[in-house]
Structures are given as C-alpha cells and as structure tokens.
Amino acid sequence: PNYKTVHRRFQTWCRKDVLRKILVKLANDLREQGKIDEREAYIDAMFVPAKGGGEEIGKTKRGKGLKIMAIVDRHGLPLAATRHAANHHEVKLVQLTFEFYMVEVSPEKLIGDRAYDSDDLDEELRKEGIDMISPHRKNRKKRKTQDGRSLRRYQRRWIVERFFSWIQWKRRLVVCWEYYPQNFLGFLQLACALLLLNRF
C-alpha cells in the first residue's frame, strides 16, 4: 500500500509539473548567487533504450528508445533537460528543449557537436540573441559560416558529457522502464534537482 501511495503521488507531481517548478526555483536562486553562469551553454543528447515500451518511443538502428536532450551551463549544471522519441533528429529538438529552459536569461553562446550544424537553426537562434557554435559536418556543401576563434569553445564540450555521466548514476535513467513519458521526465527532473541542490 505504501508503494502505491508514493508512486501515485509521484505521478501526480509529474502531471502537475511540480518537479519542473521546483527546478526553476532552484536554478534561478543559484543564478542569483552567481553559481550558475548561462552566458556559455552546451547542448547534447543521450540515447536511452526503452525496455518497457510505452508512449513516445522511437525506433533507431540501436533499437527502440528515447533521447534525453540537455542544455548545461559552463559548470555543467542543467539549464534545460527533457526527453523525446529517439527517431527525431537533434536539430529539430533544440527549440523544444528550450521550452524546458529554467533560468530567466537565454545563453549568449550555445555550443554543440556536428549534429547541430544547420544554417536554419543558426538563424532561428540568432533571432533570439543566441549564437550557435558547432563544427561543420565533413559532407557540408554550403559555404562555411563558423569562425575558427569561436570554435575554440568547442574544446570544452566535455562539460555536457560530464552531465550525462552524472545522471547515468541514476539507474532509472539508464534504461527507460516507464510506460508514460511524463513519469520518465519526472525522474530526469528529480536527478537534475539533486545536482542543483548539491550546489547550495
């Protein structure tokens, strides 16, 4: 009976975005204390196999699963984290990830890998005052647009990889067993909240 009570309460929190509201409060408090620096942010995705099936699961060459999309600050602290079906391209998920952005000010520079090499994405983000920095793909046919000096920031992209290493210590995020997508998102938000709490 106790398990069912806790589980149902957690599902209620997920449906009502309680964990997201907590994350927003924590992130903005840390920013006011100078412990979050969003001026330079990093974006990437992590594939998560889905063993339990469920909604919003995509088929890929690696099997059925989903993607965790994350934006972190220059210290590796989460600024946005969400999940999507794995069969969507990362370029198309950037704007959707910003819908889960937690602090009041957008990053000045957003650094990603070659998967984010898109002139259309660059233009969309530029309208919002965000400079997208990513190496060009080897098979790129259009004129190069990235400045070599800006690309030096790409050397610090390990910061977002470290974030994924941190959350992989949470077993509920290594494999998705949740049928409902909001439940898995709730566990992801809970992991992010623990990371932020450690900075207080």
Side-chain angles (χ1 to χ4, degrees):
N2 291 335
Y3 169 78
K4 290 183 178 179
T5 301
V6 172
H7 188 62
R8 287 172 182 167
R9 186 178 300 155
F10 178 76
Q11 288 181 319
T12 301
W13 287 358
C14 293
R15 288 195 302 270
K16 295 184 177 181
D17 281 339
V18 172
L19 292 168
R20 172 168 165 72
K21 293 173 184 175
I22 293 172
L23 270 177
V24 170
K25 174 65 175 170
L26 289 173
N28 283 288
D29 284 353
L30 283 173
R31 183 176 180 272
E32 290 177 4
Q33 297 176 20
K35 296 179 180 178
I36 278 185
D37 186 352
E38 80 291 335
R39 290 174 296 176
E40 183 176 280
Y42 301 83
I43 186 170
D44 204 359
M46 179 182 85
F47 175 79
V48 179
K51 302 295 185 181
E55 300 176 354
E56 297 184 20
I57 300 298
K59 293 182 179 179
T60 69
K61 294 179 180 178
R62 299 174 65 180
K64 294 181 179 179
L66 55 90
K67 283 181 180 177
I68 294 177
M69 291 285 296
I71 300 173
V72 303
D73 80 335
R74 65 193 313 164
H75 305 302
L77 296 176
L79 299 174
T82 184
R83 50 91 68 210
H84 301 281
N87 56 336
H88 295 303
H89 196 280
E90 292 171 30
V91 166
K92 298 180 179 179
L93 299 178
V94 173
Q95 294 288 14
L96 293 175
T97 305
F98 268 104
E99 292 180 7
F100 290 83
Y101 197 72
M102 295 183 285
V103 298
E104 298 173 353
V105 182
S106 298
E108 297 174 9
K109 299 184 183 299
L110 184 65
I111 297 99
D113 59 20
R114 287 183 172 84
Y116 303 93
D117 177 24
S118 166
D119 292 345
D120 292 338
L121 176 62
D122 292 350
E123 183 61 29
E124 286 179 18
L125 294 177
R126 194 174 294 116
K127 292 177 182 177
E128 300 175 17
I130 303 171
D131 182 18
M132 182 74 215
I133 299 172
S134 65
H136 290 308
R137 298 179 184 177
K138 294 180 180 179
N139 60 351
R140 181 183 174 90
K141 297 180 180 179
K142 296 182 180 179
R143 180 177 60 87
K144 293 184 178 181
T145 59
Q146 294 287 345
D147 188 300
R149 291 169 297 178
S150 298
L151 285 173
R152 293 174 187 169
R153 301 174 186 269
Y154 179 74
Q155 296 176 359
R156 295 192 291 273
R157 204 184 64 83
W158 58 268
I159 292 172
V160 67
E161 300 290 352
R162 183 181 62 180
F163 165 78
F164 287 120
S165 296
W166 283 342
I167 65 172
Q168 280 183 320
W169 280 92
K170 313 301 180 184
R171 290 186 298 170
R172 296 300 286 261
L173 300 179
V174 176
V175 176
C176 177
W177 296 100
E178 304 298 324
Y179 184 86
Y180 297 107
Q182 66 267 23
N183 290 351
F184 185 85
L185 178 60
F187 284 116
L188 174 60
Q189 291 172 335
L190 186 59
C192 291
L194 292 174
L195 288 176
L196 294 180
L197 282 169
N198 286 335
R199 294 304 176 104
F200 279 94

